[in-house]
Amino acid sequence: FSGIGGFDLAAEWMGWENVFHCEINRYGASILKSKWPNSIQYNDITKADFTIHRGAIDVLTGGFPCQDASNAMSTGGGQQGLDGARTGLFFEMCRAIREIRPKFVVAENVANILSVNGGKDFGRILTELSSMGYNAEWRICYASEQGAPHKRGRLYLVAYPDSIRIKQGETFIPHVQQKVTPFEWRAFGANVPIVRGGSWNSEPPIPCVVDGVSNKLVREQIKAFGNSVVPEIPLLIYKAIEQFESLPQPPKASK
């Protein structure tokens, strides 16, 4: 579920090596191949064999599909959650975890994954991770916490082996900004507030047109951006992981 490489861009900023990607969308896969030509490229996760990476991956990331958990699918038989064909691909991610056995897992989905099916689905997620020997922590993070001109709440989860013990109050998901400074972003000077948050000079507004977006490539780009993570957020998670890994670890208890 590499998308256009939001997790991977943050890893590159850290100086980490992106070993492989897995993305079934053609446009997303083309971006990944162009940006990271030396990484192994997988297409269909249900057909990918990850056993060759066993014990060789420190951090495994995945923004597993959200369509069956999104609020946008609240009608018409939607919100099947993990029972849906798309969000249910989380279990393929679990297979990848079992085959690879990474030290850390960083997952992302819509905030509503906490509530879909009465919260039972998220319980299943935690149970699956626990059955593989992983503890987990999670938090809803907002792009506006990093100064983006949109709220974009997403759930981030970090899983790590039971053998890792962090102190009370410590976290792998740092609070980016406790209080967001109110800011109204306006498109082309129009007197219509779009969202509240911060401001990114590098992110131009998307023009609104009466008949929508007609160019297929532009539609693919907008869809990819909509599905992608904001890399500044996993960057903070990665920094917390690297800081933890660089600290002296207590000796393991002998039997």
Side-chain angles (χ1 to χ4, degrees), residues 31-219:
I31 296 298
L32 296 169
K33 187 174 182 179
S34 173
K35 180 67 176 176
W36 294 283
N38 296 323
S39 298
I40 299 172
Q41 305 288 333
Y42 296 104
N43 177 245
D44 186 345
I45 192 172
T46 66
K47 299 176 181 178
D49 180 4
F50 300 110
T51 56
I52 65 168
H53 303 293
R54 188 174 183 87
I57 302 296
D58 298 299
V59 182
L60 179 69
T61 64
F64 61 100
C66 67
Q67 290 91 338
D68 297 306
S70 172
N71 281 325
M73 297 294 290
S74 59
T75 60
Q79 288 208 353
Q80 298 178 65
L82 294 179
D83 292 327
R86 290 166 293 187
T87 302
L89 288 172
F90 166 76
F91 296 107
E92 288 295 327
M93 184 174 178
C94 289
R95 177 178 63 82
I97 295 171
R98 285 192 296 270
E99 292 181 355
I100 297 171
R101 300 302 301 178
K103 190 166 187 179
F104 293 91
V105 177
V106 183
E108 177 267 351
N109 209 277
V110 292
N112 195 55
I113 194 71
L114 288 171
S115 305
V116 70
N117 289 329
K120 293 180 180 178
D121 279 14
F122 195 68
R124 291 172 67 187
I125 289 173
L126 297 180
T127 299
E128 284 291 324
L129 292 170
S130 179
S131 69
M132 293 185 285
Y134 288 87
N135 285 321
E137 61 173 275
W138 58 92
R139 185 170 84 85
I140 296 175
C141 301
Y142 297 93
S144 56
E145 293 176 325
Q146 276 293 296
H150 47 83
K151 192 173 182 181
R152 196 182 180 87
R154 296 290 185 271
L155 178 117
Y156 284 82
L157 179 149
V158 179
Y160 44 88
D162 292 335
S163 58
I164 290 180
R165 290 290 183 266
I166 60 176
K167 297 178 181 179
Q168 185 174 0
E170 291 184 346
T171 176
F172 289 111
I173 311 179
H175 286 261
V176 183
Q177 185 174 322
Q178 294 289 345
K179 184 178 181 181
V180 177
T181 304
F183 177 84
E184 290 189 350
W185 191 57
R186 302 178 185 277
F188 296 101
N191 192 28
V192 180
I194 306 297
V195 293
R196 289 183 177 273
S199 177
W200 279 355
N201 293 329
S202 61
E203 183 173 288
I206 297 175
C208 301
V209 294
V210 175
D211 297 322
V213 179
S214 59
N215 185 283
K216 182 178 179 181
L217 176 59
V218 174
R219 289 202 304 270

